[in-house]
Amino acid sequence: MYCKNCGCSLPDDATKCENCGAVLSYGFEAGKTNPVKEEKGSVLLGILGFIFPLIGLILYLAMMHSEPKKAKSAGKGALTAFIIYLVFIVIVTISVMIPVIDTYRKSSQADDSSYVESYDYDDVRYSNDYDYDYDYPIDC
C-alpha cells in the first residue's frame, strides 16, 4: 500500500504514514484491511418492482432495514408502476364512458322527439292565416 499524500510505500496494516504522518483512510476502517462496502441501488429490483408492483412493495418492506438503497429502488419501481397504472385506468374509463353517455343522451333525445300526442280532431280549429290561390268564380 502507498501513502496518498507522499507516495511512500507502507505495510498493508498501516493506519498512519510513517513518513509524513497522514492518516490513511482509503475507504478502510481504522485497523482493518477489508474495504467498507458501499451499498448501491439495484436497477434490476427497480425494473422488477415496475413490472410487478406487488412484488416491488414486498421487496421494499422486506429489505428496508437490511439494504435500504436496494429496497428504495424496488419501492420506486412499484410506486411508479402504480401511478402509471392508475392514470391508465382513469383514461380508459373516461374513454369508455364518453361514448356510453353520448349514446344515452341521443337515445333520450330520440325518445322525446318521437313522442306523438294523440289529437282530438273535433277540437281542431282552422284559421285563415294561409293565402291560398284558388280560382273560384266570384259571385257578385
Side-chain angles (χ1 to χ4, degrees), residues 20 32 43-44 49 65 70-71 74 82 94 97 99-100 118-119 137-138:
C20 67
K32 296 185 180 179
V43 175
L44 182 62
H65 295 296
K70 287 182 181 179
F82 178 74
I94 289 172
M97 291 305 294
V100 169
S118 62
Y119 288 99
I138 300 177

Side-chain angles (χ1 to χ4, degrees), residues 63-119:
M63 297 182 346
M64 63 192 255
H65 295 296
S66 61
E67 299 176 86
K69 288 189 179 181
K70 287 182 181 179
K72 191 174 180 180
S73 295
K76 279 183 180 178
L79 184 62
T80 304
F82 178 74
I83 291 170
I84 289 173
Y85 294 158
L86 189 64
V87 168
F88 178 75
I89 288 171
V90 168
I91 289 172
V92 167
T93 303
I94 289 172
S95 66
V96 168
M97 291 305 294
I98 288 175
V100 169
I101 291 170
D102 192 41
T103 304
Y104 177 73
R105 260 193 220 148
K106 286 180 182 177
S107 69
S108 68
Q109 287 174 355
D111 290 345
D112 291 344
S113 64
S114 65
Y115 177 72
V116 177
E117 187 177 315
S118 62
Y119 288 99

Side-chain angles (χ1 to χ4, degrees), residues 12-70:
D12 288 337
D13 61 344
T15 58
K16 207 176 204 188
C17 179
E18 298 168 358
N19 189 28
C20 67
V23 177
L24 305 174
S25 57
Y26 292 117
F28 294 94
E29 292 181 18
K32 296 185 180 179
T33 57
N34 295 334
V36 176
K37 293 181 182 178
E38 187 176 317
E39 182 189 352
K40 294 181 182 177
S42 175
V43 175
L44 182 62
L45 288 177
I47 292 171
L48 183 69
F50 181 77
I51 294 172
F52 303 106
L54 184 60
I55 293 175
L57 177 64
I58 292 169
L59 287 172
Y60 172 75
L61 294 173
M63 297 182 346
M64 63 192 255
H65 295 296
S66 61
E67 299 176 86
K69 288 189 179 181
K70 287 182 181 179

